[in-house]
Amino acid sequence: MVPVVAPDNGRFYTAIRMCRWEKQRRENKRQARLFSRAKVPFAYSRDTFDTYQLTDDNRTAVAAAKWSLQEGNRKGIFFYGSPGSGKTKLAAVIANEKAGRGEQVLFSSVPDFLADIRASFGKNTTAEMIQVARDVPCLILDDLGAERMTLWVGEQLFSLLNHRYNEGLQTIITSNYGPQNIAARLVCRDDDGAEDDSQAQRIMSRIYGMCELVNLSGRDWRLKGAEA
Ligand SMILES: Nc1ncnc2c1ncn2[C@@H]1O[C@H](COP(=O)(O)OP(=O)(O)OP(=O)(O)O)[C@@H](O)[C@H]1O
Ligand SMILES: [Mg+2]
């Protein structure tokens, strides 16, 4: 809480206003209450640019991550690349940097986000969760393409991303699938196995409209660890 001097009809009065840290603390509490899985995974919770080693393979992606953190930047990034190339770690660095500055950010892997929403059915929190994800100033969706695409999943993703696109809200996405093959991964199948690729095209169109596409290449860091 911070004391402020505020004008009111030509007079000034002092008031206590919630500082942005307090606002963020309350929002974090609300997020934690609503989402049990949606957070920066423990292994990445202390990551910063200092713990993210620069290589020729990730230099452009790191520069893009820094660009995404510039004040007032509402444009997002779609990081794509092979397993272990450092996508989740870089997305976590962005989330941790933003949280450290008192900015609101929600980090979730797409399968976890959908599992949280499913788990909320019957608890009356579904609408509040969807509203938080729709309106949070920065949403980080890790691992797009890892979920099983049912019609329901397609509708959830389209509605979320369409709203964020329309409102110009920053959305950072990671995926193992690049522009050549992500749309095929997002094709929805109903219970009878019938396919509908129109939703996938509409989802990707929003993503291309609001995100810079950035490739993260290089060898699997997990194997580097195993070799050490
Ligand atoms: N630039 C880096 N500096 C140090 N460690 C890194 C770097 N990039 C990745 N790592 C480490 O390598 C491992 C894999 O990274 P990460 O989970 O970010 O990969 P990913 O691209 O998200 O993989 P996947 O596609 O399988 O989800 C993690 O333990 C991470 O800490
Ligand atoms: Mg990952």
Side-chain angles (χ1 to χ4, degrees):
M1 298 289 178
V2 283
V4 289
V5 178
D8 178 26
N9 263 342
R11 295 172 167 213
F12 285 89
Y13 67 96
T14 54
I16 302 290
R17 196 171 61 199
M18 222 191 286
C19 69
R20 84 154 102 134
W21 306 102
E22 179 61 16
K23 263 195 197 151
Q24 197 212 356
R25 196 185 63 79
R26 290 187 186 193
E27 192 54 32
N28 286 350
K29 258 181 103 173
R30 184 158 89 114
Q31 279 183 16
R33 175 173 59 78
L34 287 170
F35 298 93
S36 62
R37 305 167 179 87
K39 48 180 157 292
V40 174
F42 176 74
Y44 307 84
S45 57
R46 290 172 170 265
D47 275 321
T48 65
F49 285 111
D50 292 337
T51 63
Y52 199 91
Q53 286 178 46
L54 260 187
T55 65
D56 287 342
D57 291 323
N58 65 28
R59 209 171 291 281
T60 308
V62 170
K66 290 187 173 162
W67 164 81
S68 77
L69 286 159
Q70 283 173 10
E71 212 177 316
N73 186 359
R74 290 175 146 230
K75 198 117 207 240
I77 306 176
F78 180 84
F79 289 115
Y80 64 96
S82 50
S85 54
K87 301 177 297 297
T88 299
K89 193 178 180 80
L90 194 52
V93 169
I94 295 173
N96 294 338
E97 285 280 338
K98 282 192 177 270
R101 295 175 185 184
E103 294 175 19
Q104 282 169 28
V105 54
L106 176 63
F107 181 108
S108 183
S109 84
V110 177
D112 285 353
F113 173 71
L114 295 166
D116 272 342
I117 292 188
R118 277 194 203 96
S120 75
F121 292 165
K123 286 196 232 156
N124 295 331
T125 50
T126 316
E128 194 182 352
M129 290 168 82
I130 290 175
Q131 180 251 320
V132 167
R134 278 160 71 98
D135 292 326
V136 69
C138 178
L139 175 68
I140 301 185
L141 290 174
D142 192 31
D143 252 339
L144 184 72
E147 64 289 332
R148 198 171 72 82
M149 287 302 296
T150 61
L151 292 179
W152 179 81
V153 168
E155 275 159 25
Q156 297 302 315
L157 289 177
F158 174 74
S159 155
L160 175 66
L161 293 170
N162 185 48
H163 175 82
R164 296 190 63 83
Y165 171 79
N166 288 341
E167 297 304 317
L169 292 167
Q170 192 174 46
T171 309
I172 311 268
I173 298 170
T174 81
S175 182
N176 281 139
Y177 302 92
Q180 309 294 334
N181 44 20
I182 181 72
R185 274 297 308 169
L186 297 179
V187 169
C188 306
R189 277 171 198 86
D190 68 16
D191 291 342
D192 303 326
E195 291 189 354
D196 172 12
D197 73 345
S198 61
Q199 199 74 294
Q201 306 292 348
R202 279 150 52 87
I203 291 171
M204 287 318 299
S205 164
R206 300 321 182 265
I207 291 177
Y208 293 145
M210 64 181 165
C211 294
E212 293 293 324
L213 303 188
V214 177
N215 180 229
L216 251 168
S217 57
R219 288 187 54 207
D220 185 338
W221 283 80
R222 295 188 185 99
L223 295 180
K224 285 184 195 175
E227 285 160 6

